[in-house]
């Protein structure tokens, strides 16, 4: 038994290697992209005949609309700008956990390397979005709030929450697979099925938590929690 | 080592590629489709609303026209009925007048016919009586009617007596003019002389006598002098007959005009 799918290496040349995590990720990417392409390729054709929509398109519309609604509810005013990043985070983690119903499948999110990669992406994306919205100065000023003394703590907070993101997702996904593996040796057949169902639930919850936290971080960085600047009112002079 | 840094880097790259691909193939088309559909639905709703408003206004217009049409039809119907009533009244009046005229004409024709019939009966009766008398006299006495008439006239002259004879004599003497004898048929010389003799004997006059044909006196002889006339004629008998026949005809009821009057009403 291995702790991480990273340990299953199919091919290696120096530091370059092809392990189970990367291969599974590719498969998931293919499924997502091809599925999306298949569903959306006939949208234009159907659109001309009125409001006829296929079932798969309706499903995807529900998912996409729900993601957009979530982003709006967190407080980002232009959800389309963050849709690609945040939506993909959710869909990747969710699909990776849904596929656990396939026997022998190990989710790539069960590898700390993958969750760390996602957390690093969030770590990088948050200041990028913040700078794009507020400018470099405006973004960096946030680290001095409420006083400059808080600067190191803010930096520590930034790093620690990234670490927390990575470890939380890894721990949940890895533990689900580990528990099933262990239980299979003790009580085969029935109990692992219940655990698989539970694993599906925790996987979806983790996908939601991961993406919603990333959304909250971005919303905080882009300053959407602040009130909109008002026109300066004339001050009384002494 | 739990974290494999090459895998981390590879997964970062993989994730970024996945973000790009999904943005390209999933979010953009889906969001675009949703937006387009919402726009189209909004446009269709606006169109439907506009159509509804147009239909509403057209319906109002139609209702207004319909009411106007109904009103106009009712007016025209009333007018037509009034005109028809007037026309009917006129026709009835005209028909009544025509029927009155026809009845009047019919009654006139009936009266004319009645008169003609009376005249015809009179004429035919006179002719028949004359013919019968002539035949009877001829057959029974062997003399012609004229001879008998002259005979009878002479007898009457002789038979004149009293006031009548005196009156006539005075009249003949007072006016010594011509004495005119008018007969229906030409008299023979014997008959003329018989009449002349009788006149001379009875009245004692010497005036020349003139004989004249007068077809209007029906089978008779008239002796005419100034203002006086002595005559014998079948017309006297015929007058009685005519009176009897006339009473018979006037006694018959005239039913025709009542029938015509009934039809005209």
């Amino acid at each position: 038994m291995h702790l991480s799918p990273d340990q299953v290496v199919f091919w290696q040349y120096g530091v370059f290697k092809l392990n189970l995590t990367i291969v599974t990720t590719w498969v998931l990417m293919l499924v997502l992209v091809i599925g999306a392409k298949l569903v959306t390729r006939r949208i234009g054709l159907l659109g001309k005949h009125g409001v006829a929509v296929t079932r798969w398109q309706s499903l995807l519309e529900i998912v996409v609309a729900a993601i957009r609604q979530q982003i709006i509810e967190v407080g980002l005013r232009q959800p389309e700008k963050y849709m690609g990043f945040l939506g993909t985070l959710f869909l990747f983690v969710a699909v990776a956990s849904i596929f656990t119903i396939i026997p022998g499948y190990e989710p790539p999110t069960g590898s700390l390397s993958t969750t760390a990669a996602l957390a690093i992406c969030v770590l990088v994306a948050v200041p990028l979005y913040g700078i794009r919205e507020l400018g470099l100065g405006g973004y960096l000023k946030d680290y001095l709030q409420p006083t400059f003394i808080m600067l190191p703590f803010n930096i520590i907070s930034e790093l620690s929450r990234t670490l927390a993101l990575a470890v939380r997702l890894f721990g949940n996904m890895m533990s689900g697979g580990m528990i099933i593996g262990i239980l299979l040796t003790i009580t085969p057949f029935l109990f692992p099925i219940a655990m698989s169902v539970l694993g599906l639930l925790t996987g979806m919850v983790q996908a939601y938590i991961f993406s919603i936290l990333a959304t909250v971080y971005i919303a905080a960085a882009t300053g959407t929690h602040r009130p909109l600047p008002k026109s300066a009112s004339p001050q009384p002079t002494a | 080592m739990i974290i494999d840094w090459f895998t981390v880097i590879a997964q970062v790259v993989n994730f970024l590629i996945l973000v790009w691909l999904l943005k390209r193939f999933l979010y953009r088309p889906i969001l675009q489709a949703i937006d387009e559909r919402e726009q189209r639905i909004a446009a269709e709703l606006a169109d439907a609303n506009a159509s509804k408003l147009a239909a509403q206004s057209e319906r109002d217009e139609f209702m207004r026209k319909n009411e106007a049409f109904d009103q106009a039809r009712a007016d025209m119907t009333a007018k037509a009925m009034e005109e028809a009533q007037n026309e009917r009244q006129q026709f009835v009046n005209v028909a009544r007048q025509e029927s009155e005229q026809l009845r009047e004409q019919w009654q006139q024709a009936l009266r004319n016919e009645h008169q003609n019939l009376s005249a015809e009966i009179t004429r035919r009766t006179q002719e028949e009586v004359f013919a019968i008398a002539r035949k009877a006299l001829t057959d029974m006495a062997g003399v012609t009617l004229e001879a008998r008439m002259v005979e009878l006239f002479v007898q009457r002259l002789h038979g004149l007596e009293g006031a009548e004879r005196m009156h006539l004599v005075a009249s003949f003497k007072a006016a010594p003019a011509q004495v005119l004898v008018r007969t229906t048929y030409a008299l023979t010389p014997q008959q003329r002389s018989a009449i002349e003799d009788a006149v001379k004997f009875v009245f004692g006059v010497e005036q020349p006598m003139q004989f004249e044909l007068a077809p209007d006196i029906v089978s008779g002889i008239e002796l005419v002098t100034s203002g006086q006339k002595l005559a014998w004629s079948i017309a006297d008998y015929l007058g009685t007959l005519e009176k009897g026949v006339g009473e018979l005809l006037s006694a018959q009821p005239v039913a025709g005009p009542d029938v015509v009057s009934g039809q005209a009403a």
Side-chain angles (χ1 to χ4, degrees):
Chain A
M1 171 163 282
H2 49 82
L3 195 63
S4 163
D6 290 1
Q7 292 165 354
V8 182
V9 177
F10 297 114
W11 173 85
Q12 187 162 15
Y13 181 78
V15 293
F16 299 101
K17 61 176 96 170
L18 198 61
N19 55 32
L20 185 58
T21 306
I22 294 173
V23 171
T24 316
T25 303
W26 284 351
V27 171
L28 289 179
M29 285 167 68
L30 274 178
V31 168
L32 278 170
V33 171
I34 290 173
K37 179 68 186 163
L38 284 176
V39 171
T40 58
R41 67 178 174 170
R42 297 179 66 184
I43 278 181
L45 293 174
L46 285 169
K48 289 175 184 172
H49 298 293
V51 290
V53 175
T54 61
R55 294 176 186 178
W56 286 105
Q57 186 187 334
S58 298
L59 178 69
L60 286 191
E61 282 184 7
I62 289 168
V63 172
V64 171
I67 293 171
R68 182 168 66 169
Q69 189 59 34
Q70 279 298 321
I71 295 172
I72 291 171
E73 282 179 7
V74 167
L76 290 169
R77 295 194 185 95
Q78 291 174 301
E80 285 78 12
K81 273 202 250 179
Y82 313 99
M83 195 81 196
F85 181 71
L86 297 172
T88 307
L89 269 180
F90 173 78
L91 283 179
F92 180 68
V93 177
V95 172
S97 68
I98 285 172
F99 270 50
T100 54
I101 57 171
I102 298 170
Y105 166 84
E106 289 193 38
T109 44
S111 150
L112 189 58
S113 304
T114 306
T115 58
L118 297 179
I120 287 167
C121 285
V122 174
L123 177 71
V124 175
V126 167
L128 281 181
Y129 281 122
I131 290 167
R132 195 170 74 176
E133 287 294 316
L134 303 172
L136 185 59
Y139 174 72
L140 290 178
K141 211 186 279 178
D142 262 1
Y143 283 97
L144 302 176
Q145 300 294 332
T147 66
F148 70 92
I149 300 168
M150 294 300 287
L151 176 64
F153 299 103
N154 280 332
I155 293 171
I156 291 170
S157 155
E158 198 77 18
L159 294 174
S160 65
R161 76 190 187 191
T162 304
L163 186 66
L165 270 180
V167 173
R168 184 190 300 114
L169 182 59
F170 163 70
N172 276 286
M173 300 311 293
M174 182 271 290
S175 65
M178 288 296 286
I179 289 170
I180 292 170
I182 293 165
L183 286 175
L184 272 174
T185 61
I186 302 168
T187 57
F189 303 126
L190 288 177
F191 202 62
I193 294 173
M195 289 310 294
S196 286
V197 173
L198 197 61
L200 279 175
L201 180 64
T202 37
M204 294 306 294
V205 171
Q206 287 307 315
Y208 177 72
I209 289 173
F210 197 97
S211 53
I212 208 77
L213 282 175
T215 313
V216 169
Y217 296 155
I218 291 171
T222 53
T224 49
H225 57 288
R226 297 175 190 165
L228 288 172
K230 292 175 183 172
S231 55
S233 57
Q235 297 289 325
T237 52
Chain B
M1 186 74 180
I2 291 176
I3 293 181
D4 179 53
W5 288 105
F6 173 76
T7 309
V8 170
I9 292 165
Q11 290 294 72
V12 167
V13 173
N14 282 339
F15 179 73
L16 292 179
I17 291 170
L18 184 63
V19 167
W20 182 78
L21 286 174
L22 285 187
K23 201 186 276 186
R24 168 96 169 68
F25 291 116
L26 181 64
Y27 306 121
R28 199 180 299 160
I30 290 280
L31 288 175
Q32 203 172 343
I34 291 174
D35 287 345
E36 278 179 4
R37 195 167 60 231
E38 282 177 353
Q39 283 175 4
R40 191 172 57 230
I41 289 172
E44 282 175 2
L45 283 175
D47 277 356
N49 205 27
S51 299
K52 194 177 165 188
L53 286 176
Q56 183 89 22
S57 76
E58 279 188 17
R59 196 192 66 180
D60 290 347
E61 177 71 9
F62 174 74
M63 297 274 280
R64 194 183 62 71
K65 281 186 179 173
N66 220 7
E67 282 176 9
F69 174 75
D70 283 348
Q71 184 62 38
R73 191 179 58 179
D75 290 349
M76 284 171 71
T77 306
K79 194 179 169 190
M81 283 184 73
E82 192 181 339
E83 285 176 355
Q85 192 70 25
N86 292 339
E87 196 126 343
R88 179 179 172 275
Q89 195 59 42
Q90 283 179 3
F91 281 141
V92 168
N93 291 340
V94 169
R96 194 167 285 159
Q97 286 174 1
E98 284 179 356
S99 120
E100 289 286 338
Q101 284 176 357
L102 278 176
R103 189 170 64 175
E104 193 64 35
Q105 286 174 1
W106 189 75
Q107 283 177 340
Q108 186 63 40
L110 200 65
R111 278 196 294 273
N112 291 342
E113 198 175 345
H114 183 204
Q115 287 172 357
N116 292 340
L117 187 65
S118 296
E120 180 69 11
I121 287 171
T122 306
R123 192 182 61 78
R124 288 284 298 275
T125 306
Q126 288 174 353
E127 286 176 3
E128 288 299 322
V129 167
F130 182 76
I132 289 166
R134 179 198 294 267
K135 186 87 166 60
L137 288 172
T138 307
D139 288 350
M140 286 186 297
V143 293
T144 61
L145 179 61
E146 286 77 16
R148 183 65 189 140
M149 276 195 312
V150 171
E151 226 172 279
L152 202 59
F153 187 65
V154 170
Q155 278 181 11
R156 284 195 67 178
L157 285 178
H158 287 292
L160 282 173
E161 287 179 353
E164 192 177 10
R165 180 173 176 175
M166 294 299 292
H167 189 67
L168 281 170
V169 169
S171 152
F172 276 115
K173 287 184 175 172
Q178 246 183 354
V179 176
L180 180 62
V181 177
R182 301 176 72 207
T183 55
T184 311
Y185 304 100
L187 298 175
T188 59
Q190 289 81 11
Q191 289 169 339
R192 287 185 181 184
S193 62
I195 291 173
E196 283 174 350
D197 292 343
V199 168
K200 285 176 182 171
F201 174 76
V202 174
F203 300 113
V205 293
E206 295 294 332
Q207 289 98 325
M209 298 187 71
Q210 188 180 352
F211 293 90
E212 186 182 282
L213 279 178
D216 55 329
I217 55 172
V218 183
S219 295
I221 300 171
E222 277 184 2
L223 179 66
V224 181
T225 182
S226 55
Q228 294 293 323
K229 185 170 83 175
L230 184 66
W232 178 90
S233 167
I234 290 178
D236 294 338
Y237 305 106
L238 292 180
T240 307
L241 182 63
E242 187 178 9
K243 192 178 173 190
V245 172
E247 282 173 358
L248 191 67
L249 286 173
S250 62
Q252 286 179 349
V254 183
D258 290 341
V259 176
V260 173
S261 175
Q263 283 172 347

